[in-house]
């Protein structure tokens, strides 16, 4: 019987990378020891016990089972706005905040508003693969813009200016970056924002990992001090990493003015309202767990340092970038490409990583390792598994 038609756009979209990588791991026989899974960016420690208690309490509350406000419950929007205002040292308000069912959906809804079916989006490579997948599913052209290892994978504003061809509706920056961990300097972000403003292009900042910046007391940029920021800037945020609750799917969009007015149409259609029990618990957690979040930032910094130190035992694997949650490793010369290397590491040596081609063109010599997933004792085993591959 012939297959019934399915969306050509969906069929043309690449399959999700993490399940593909875990299929390689299913062939591992355990000979090198327990599988080391450094694929998905998940916190390698549990949520705060008091947050778990409040999540349980809120989940059993009848009120939380009903529909909530389209833009998210007021208590969480107010708590996040206050946290953002302090973090960025800028006058931000709850009216600028829209709570979403995760940051991936936040990106999809923002792109629906900003680009729709008539615009293109400039997406620096290596890119976060779900960003590219979302654009493909929406039918929005994703124009790759190369960031280079010699620049620390930080976008070069002068090169980006040349890439802003007619038809580009938005530029997406992810800082701290996924997959490289690179942190974009404030001056670079400011220069790109000014360039976008001059060209009539929206700037979208995905700052999912902002709570893990090493210099937490210094704002990563000053864009929100501009009274006109709402006319050209949109920020995305996720509660998943900072509060260790990825399964509860809560994110946020910071944006105002005409963008937010149009966003409400998309939000009402795509999600109706974000998950309510998690919102109730997070409204308490945002101010109450500030010190706990700072402690987690220190844990991540410690893991980054431990990973860098351990890699001295495998000098042929060069760290081209490292920060926040991720290390971006360059394959040794003479080794096969990243796809073959990642498959062999998973299936034969029990080290599960993601190959560079999952993150866009020109990444055939890199692997991404999410060191945040693992304790320091586990990270110490990584060089041995890598060297077994190159032996």
């Amino acid at each position: 019987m012939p297959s019934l038609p399915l969306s050509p756009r969906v069929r043309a979209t690449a399959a999700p990378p993490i399940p593909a990588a875990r299929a390689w791991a299913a062939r591992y026989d355990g000979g090198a020891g327990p599988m080391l899974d450094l694929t998905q960016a998940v916190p390698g420690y549990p949520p705060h016990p008091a947050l778990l208690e409040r999540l349980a309490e809120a989940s059993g509350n009848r009120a939380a089972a009903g529909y909530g406000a389209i833009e998210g419950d007021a208590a969480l929007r107010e708590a996040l706005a206050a946290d953002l205002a302090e973090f960025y040292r800028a006058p931000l308000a709850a009216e600028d905040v829209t709570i979403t069912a995760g940051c991936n959906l936040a990106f999809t809804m923002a792109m629906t508003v900003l680009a729709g079916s008539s615009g293109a989006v400039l997406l620096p490579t290596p890119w976060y693969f779900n960003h590219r997948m979302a654009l493909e599913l929406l039918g929005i052209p994703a124009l790759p813009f190369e960031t280079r290892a010699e620049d620390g994978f930080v976008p070069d504003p002068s090169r980006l200016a040349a890439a802003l061809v007619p038809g580009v509706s938005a530029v997406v920056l992810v800082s701290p970056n996924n997959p490289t961990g690179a942190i974009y300097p404030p001056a670079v972000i400011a220069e790109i924002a000014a360039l976008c403003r001059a060209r009539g292009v929206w700037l979208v900042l995905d700052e999912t990992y902002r709570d893990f910046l090493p210099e937490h007391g210094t704002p990563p940029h000053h864009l929100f001090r501009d009274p006109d920021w709402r006319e050209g800037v949109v920020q995305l945020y996720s509660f998943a990493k900072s509060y260790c609750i990825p399964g509860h799917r809560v994110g946020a969009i910071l944006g105002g003015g005409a963008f937010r007015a149009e966003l409400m149409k998309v939000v009402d259609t795509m999600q109706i309202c974000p998950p309510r029990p998690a919102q109730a618990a997070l409204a308490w957690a945002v101010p109450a767990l500030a010190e706990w979040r700072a402690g987690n930032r220190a844990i991540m910094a410690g893991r980054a340092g431990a990973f860098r130190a351990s890699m001295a035992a495998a000098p042929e694997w060069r760290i081209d970038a490292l920060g926040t949650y991720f290390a971006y490793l360059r394959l040794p010369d003479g080794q096969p490409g990243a796809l073959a290397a990642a498959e062999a590491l998973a299936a034969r040596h029990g080290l599960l990583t993601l190959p560079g081609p999952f993150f866009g063109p020109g990444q055939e010599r890199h692997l991404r390792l999410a060191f945040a997933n693992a304790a320091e004792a586990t990270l110490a085993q990584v060089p041995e598994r890598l060297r077994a591959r190159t032996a």
Side-chain angles (χ1 to χ4, degrees):
M1 178 178 177
S3 298
L4 295 176
L6 299 171
S7 165
R9 185 182 298 163
V10 176
R11 289 172 68 100
T13 300
I18 289 176
R22 288 181 175 162
W24 301 332
R27 311 202 310 264
Y28 175 56
D29 63 9
M35 172 66 70
L36 307 182
D37 186 350
L38 302 184
T39 53
Q40 198 163 23
V42 294
Y45 44 81
H48 192 282
L51 177 56
L52 288 174
E53 291 175 6
R54 288 176 179 266
L55 285 166
E57 179 183 354
S59 296
N61 187 325
R62 181 176 177 180
Y67 286 124
I70 292 171
E71 65 269 37
D73 290 349
L76 179 55
R77 291 171 52 234
E78 290 166 1
L80 181 59
D83 184 66
L84 291 167
E86 180 180 1
F87 183 82
Y88 293 102
R89 301 176 189 173
L92 302 169
E95 290 72 24
D96 298 315
V97 175
T98 302
I99 304 300
T100 65
C103 197
N104 274 8
L105 183 57
F107 179 83
T108 300
M109 293 191 295
M111 291 299 106
T112 301
V113 176
L114 298 178
S117 59
S118 60
V121 173
L122 195 67
L123 210 58
T125 59
W127 54 42
Y128 172 45
F129 47 75
N130 282 146
H131 284 174
R132 170 61 189 272
M133 292 172 69
L135 293 172
E136 286 182 316
L137 292 169
L138 292 170
I140 299 171
L143 306 183
F145 170 75
E146 179 193 18
T147 63
R148 302 175 296 193
E150 57 265 36
D151 298 328
F153 294 103
V154 173
D156 181 332
S158 62
R159 292 178 55 247
L160 192 144
L164 282 180
V165 297
V168 171
S169 298
V171 171
V172 176
L173 300 182
V174 182
S175 179
N177 187 258
N178 178 3
T180 67
I183 297 170
Y184 301 167
V188 170
I189 295 175
E191 190 172 349
I192 293 174
L195 173 64
C196 288
R197 175 71 63 89
R199 299 287 187 90
V201 172
W202 286 88
L203 175 61
V204 178
L205 285 171
D206 184 331
E207 296 188 276
T208 290
Y209 299 94
R210 70 165 173 91
D211 289 316
F212 300 97
L213 286 164
E215 296 182 12
H216 190 69
T218 303
H221 57 79
H222 303 294
L223 300 187
F224 300 128
R225 295 181 183 178
D226 181 347
D228 296 327
W229 73 265
R230 296 167 184 84
E231 297 176 14
V233 175
V234 171
Q235 188 224 42
L236 309 178
Y237 177 68
S238 170
F239 294 88
K241 319 303 186 205
S242 300
Y243 298 90
C244 306
I245 54 166
H248 284 279
R249 309 309 305 142
V250 189
I253 300 174
L254 190 68
F259 164 79
R260 193 168 188 275
E262 300 305 316
L263 177 67
M264 289 302 101
K265 303 175 188 176
V266 179
V267 171
D268 184 52
T269 302
M270 290 189 174
Q271 72 173 18
I272 299 180
C273 69
R276 300 202 65 209
Q279 289 188 79
L282 285 167
W284 165 83
V286 170
L289 297 184
E291 290 188 12
W292 178 76
R293 282 188 288 159
N296 293 339
R297 186 168 62 253
I299 289 173
M300 288 303 164
R303 289 183 180 179
F307 181 82
R308 184 179 292 279
S310 72
M311 287 301 296
E316 66 274 25
W317 291 80
R318 192 174 81 201
I319 300 175
D320 270 352
L322 184 147
T324 57
Y325 263 56
F326 307 109
Y328 211 52
L329 296 187
R330 180 178 292 275
L331 274 72
D333 293 339
Q335 290 295 306
L339 281 167
E343 182 174 1
L345 282 167
R348 294 170 51 195
H349 305 291
L351 176 60
L352 194 50
T353 68
L354 292 183
F358 286 176
F359 301 97
Q363 307 304 310
E364 291 80 7
R365 303 305 301 169
H366 286 94
L367 300 178
R368 189 196 80 172
L369 282 68
F371 63 76
N373 299 2
E376 294 181 13
T378 300
L379 295 175
Q381 303 173 48
V382 171
E384 181 181 356
R385 306 282 179 102
L386 290 171
R387 300 207 78 180
R389 170 63 194 152
T390 52

